[in-house]
Amino acid sequence: MEYKIFGCKVNKYYTDKWLNSKQLEWKNGIFIASCVVTDNAKRKWIKFVKETAKNIKKWDKIFISWCWAFKDWKAQSDFFELYPDLEYLKETIEILDEDPDLNKSEKRNLVSNKIKELPQLYTKKFVLIQGWCDSFCTFCLTVKKRWRHFSRSKEDILDEILIFEKNWWKEVVLTWINLSAWWLDTTNDIWKSKFAELISYLLENTKIPRIRISSMWPEFITDEVLKLFENTRIYPHFHYSVQSGSSNILKSMSRHYNGKYMKKLLLKTRKIKRKDNVAISIWADIIVWFPWETETDFKNTMDLIKDCNITKVHAFPFSWHELWEDVPAWKFPDQIDWKIKKERMWEIMNLSDQIRDEFIDKNIWKELNVLIEVVKKDDKTWKIKWKWWTQNYIEADSSNFEIISGEIKRNEIVIWKLIK
């Protein structure tokens, strides 16, 4: 079955499960993992569904799951009422639950997935350790679409990784909705992180070479968590859900921390000394032109990026969510003028690109590991082309790296020097 994934890494995890599920075993068509994080994401999605429907075979289906398609993890029964412009495809579209293994129970405190030795869509394995959220940030629509926070047991997570490891795969990605709140009663139970306990357990009981941790909410990151990143099996890469450097804006977003806390955490992160001496990479999600964002608020965010040397910024314009379903901040007064929005977006991305270039320059001629995920021959030159990421998250390919040792083939970790 064909598939198309929009949105986050959790969508990749559940796409893997759905494509290997009994429910879709004998079905034909295309599976689509949807996303509602912004209005722009919704537009892309709807356009893709409509374009796909033009060419789909008569008896095939468009199977839709994820945030666009469900509420409280169940298939949304009023889907075509919410999206009437797709009602003409009612006979073609089939709305699915969130998870093929969880459609018989409404108890979500602890989830145990049925672990099978399944073919993988990627060379890395996305492993869901926690799901959903109890924190109603004022810019977030997805929390309205999902169930409340739950965690998988560390034993269950370990079982899934060990099957992957046994089949000689080399990288797992621990993923989320709010993964650093793992095993807490609620995602509002801040400053009581148990995340370090899970990471230590996985390091002790697995041998898989690379463990990557996806986006983390900063209020759950303790000194114990930071210490674990000294281990060479963990990616020296942090992706923090920062959103703003302004305490005023963070408060209006209903975040659990302020600008002072965020800066302190980022500076501590920057000081981590790896045993392999690989430079730490820090990425951050930032929302630009949130309502009430003054020039001072924006400057606080710019200063945070510069002072803490954030190596890449995922900057998102605040989405009003005018289309179909909205968020609380859509109704806030003092929305930012479009001209100011564009200027601030340009400024923040320009600064981010400068810092990113400086970070890459500092890694030139250093030996770095690359897990090769894509290998193909150029049709004209017959040269082998490959690509993917170093352990500190520099995008690598045959144009900017030279080989030191290892074999160029998919799912191999090769040592390279960055040359440009």
Side-chain angles (χ1 to χ4, degrees):
M1 180 179 291
E2 294 182 42
Y3 63 91
K4 175 70 174 178
I5 301 172
F6 292 84
C8 63
K9 294 178 178 65
V10 182
N11 280 10
K12 295 179 179 180
Y13 174 81
Y14 280 114
T15 297
D16 227 346
K17 292 193 72 176
W18 269 112
L19 293 184
N20 288 288
S21 68
K22 287 189 175 181
Q23 292 94 312
L24 297 186
E25 188 173 6
W26 302 107
K27 303 288 180 68
N28 294 315
I30 182 169
F31 175 90
I32 300 176
S34 65
C35 178
V36 295
V37 68
T38 64
D39 274 339
N40 192 42
K42 297 174 193 173
R43 288 188 184 99
K44 285 181 181 178
W45 234 108
I46 291 176
K47 182 180 179 182
F48 182 81
V49 171
K50 289 179 177 179
E51 290 298 319
T52 300
K54 291 177 183 177
N55 301 310
I56 199 163
K57 294 177 182 177
K58 184 175 181 181
W59 304 113
D60 288 358
K61 291 279 190 179
I62 298 174
F63 300 96
I64 300 177
S65 185
W66 270 76
C67 293
W68 203 40
F70 64 76
K71 188 173 183 180
D72 292 346
W73 66 271
K74 295 178 181 178
Q76 194 145 351
S77 59
D78 60 348
F79 178 85
F80 294 104
E81 294 174 29
L82 284 171
Y83 308 102
D85 52 336
L86 292 178
E87 191 167 9
Y88 75 99
L89 296 173
K90 200 168 187 177
E91 299 303 314
T92 303
I93 292 174
E94 184 173 327
I95 307 302
L96 302 175
D97 293 337
E98 170 197 52
D99 185 338
D101 291 336
L102 294 174
N103 55 8
K104 296 180 181 178
S105 171
E106 295 188 11
K107 185 176 181 181
R108 297 300 300 271
N109 294 327
L110 179 64
V111 176
S112 178
N113 286 324
K114 298 174 184 177
I115 307 301
K116 303 172 185 177
E117 296 190 30
L118 298 173
Q120 299 298 319
L121 299 181
Y122 311 94
T123 60
K124 53 183 171 281
K125 171 69 173 174
F126 294 94
V127 179
L128 187 80
I129 69 167
Q130 175 275 344
W132 322 153
C133 189
D134 306 315
S135 306
F136 283 80
C137 298
T138 57
F139 57 80
C140 183
L141 175 60
T142 54
V143 70
K144 293 170 66 175
K145 304 288 288 180
R146 296 172 173 138
W147 199 242
R148 301 282 66 82
H149 161 71
F150 68 89
S151 299
R152 290 177 65 190
S153 71
K154 60 184 180 181
E155 294 82 10
D156 195 28
I157 296 165
L158 177 64
D159 285 347
E160 186 166 356
I161 294 174
L162 289 177
I163 288 174
F164 190 68
E165 181 182 294
K166 187 178 76 171
N167 286 278
W168 305 104
W169 299 97
K170 296 182 172 67
E171 179 181 328
V172 295
V173 183
L174 304 185
T175 194
W176 59 297
I177 295 303
N178 193 335
L179 88 168
S180 45
W182 176 83
W183 216 248
L184 298 177
D185 292 335
T186 170
T187 60
N188 295 310
D189 199 6
I190 59 175
W191 323 126
K192 297 181 180 179
S193 177
K194 297 185 179 181
F195 194 42
E197 175 187 326
L198 173 64
I199 305 305
S200 297
Y201 176 79
L202 297 179
L203 286 170
E204 290 168 7
N205 292 283
T206 68
K207 294 179 181 178
I208 199 153
R210 286 161 72 121
I211 299 174
R212 178 151 64 96
I213 300 170
S214 56
S215 179
M216 298 181 287
W217 287 36
E219 63 267 40
F220 302 103
I221 306 304
T222 61
D223 289 345
E224 289 78 15
V225 172
L226 296 178
K227 180 72 175 173
L228 290 169
F229 276 79
E230 295 176 4
N231 191 298
T232 57
R233 289 173 57 203
I234 297 182
Y235 262 53
H237 171 71
F238 290 78
H239 187 159
Y240 285 131
S241 180
V242 175
Q243 309 308 355
S244 176
S246 163
S247 295
N248 291 332
I249 295 300
L250 290 169
K251 184 176 180 179
S252 65
M253 290 177 170
S254 295
R255 302 295 279 181
H256 290 137
Y257 51 89
N258 58 26
K260 183 178 179 181
Y261 171 84
M262 194 67 248
K263 184 172 184 177
K264 183 179 178 181
L265 175 61
L266 286 166
L267 291 175
K268 283 198 292 187
T269 302
R270 180 56 64 200
K271 291 177 182 177
I272 292 171
K273 298 296 182 184
R274 294 271 298 183
K275 294 174 183 176
D276 54 12
N277 294 316
V278 173
I280 295 288
S281 165
I282 302 176
W283 291 19
D285 296 328
I286 301 288
I287 294 177
V288 184
W289 29 271
F290 194 75
W292 296 313
E293 185 184 68
T294 65
E295 287 294 338
T296 300
D297 294 324
F298 181 67
K299 184 178 182 301
N300 288 339
T301 298
M302 294 287 281
D303 288 345
L304 185 75
I305 294 168
K306 183 167 53 179
D307 295 345
C308 299
N309 198 24
I310 295 175
T311 47
K312 187 173 178 64
V313 172
H314 283 257
F316 301 91
F318 166 64
S319 181
W320 289 358
H321 285 287
E322 294 176 287
L323 300 176
W324 305 290
E325 298 167 282
D326 58 30
V327 295
W330 176 68
K331 299 176 183 177
F332 287 1
D334 299 322
Q335 301 286 335
I336 306 297
D337 180 80
W338 267 103
K339 183 176 183 295
I340 298 173
K341 291 176 181 181
K342 291 178 181 178
E343 289 171 356
R344 289 181 183 174
M345 195 71 176
W346 181 88
E347 285 183 57
I348 205 167
M349 293 313 301
N350 187 50
L351 175 61
S352 170
D353 289 344
Q354 288 177 26
I355 297 173
R356 180 71 179 162
D357 290 344
E358 290 169 5
F359 176 73
I360 292 173
D361 286 346
K362 289 176 182 177
N363 281 272
I364 289 178
W365 301 117
K366 290 187 177 181
E367 293 186 7
L368 298 165
N369 296 333
V370 177
L371 176 67
I372 297 176
E373 297 191 37
V374 177
V375 180
K376 63 181 180 179
K377 285 186 179 179
D378 185 276
D379 293 337
K380 294 181 180 179
T381 65
W382 290 94
K383 289 182 179 179
I384 295 175
K385 292 190 173 183
W386 60 271
K387 67 177 181 179
W388 231 249
W389 303 96
T390 67
Q391 68 268 51
N392 61 347
Y393 234 54
I394 296 173
E395 192 168 12
D397 61 37
S398 49
S399 70
N400 64 349
F401 273 73
E402 67 177 29
I403 189 168
I404 302 299
S405 65
E407 184 179 359
I408 303 175
K409 74 188 222 191
R410 192 170 182 262
N411 195 41
E412 287 297 322
I413 296 176
V414 180
I415 301 175
W416 303 82
K417 275 188 180 178
L418 177 64
I419 58 175
K420 62 179 178 179

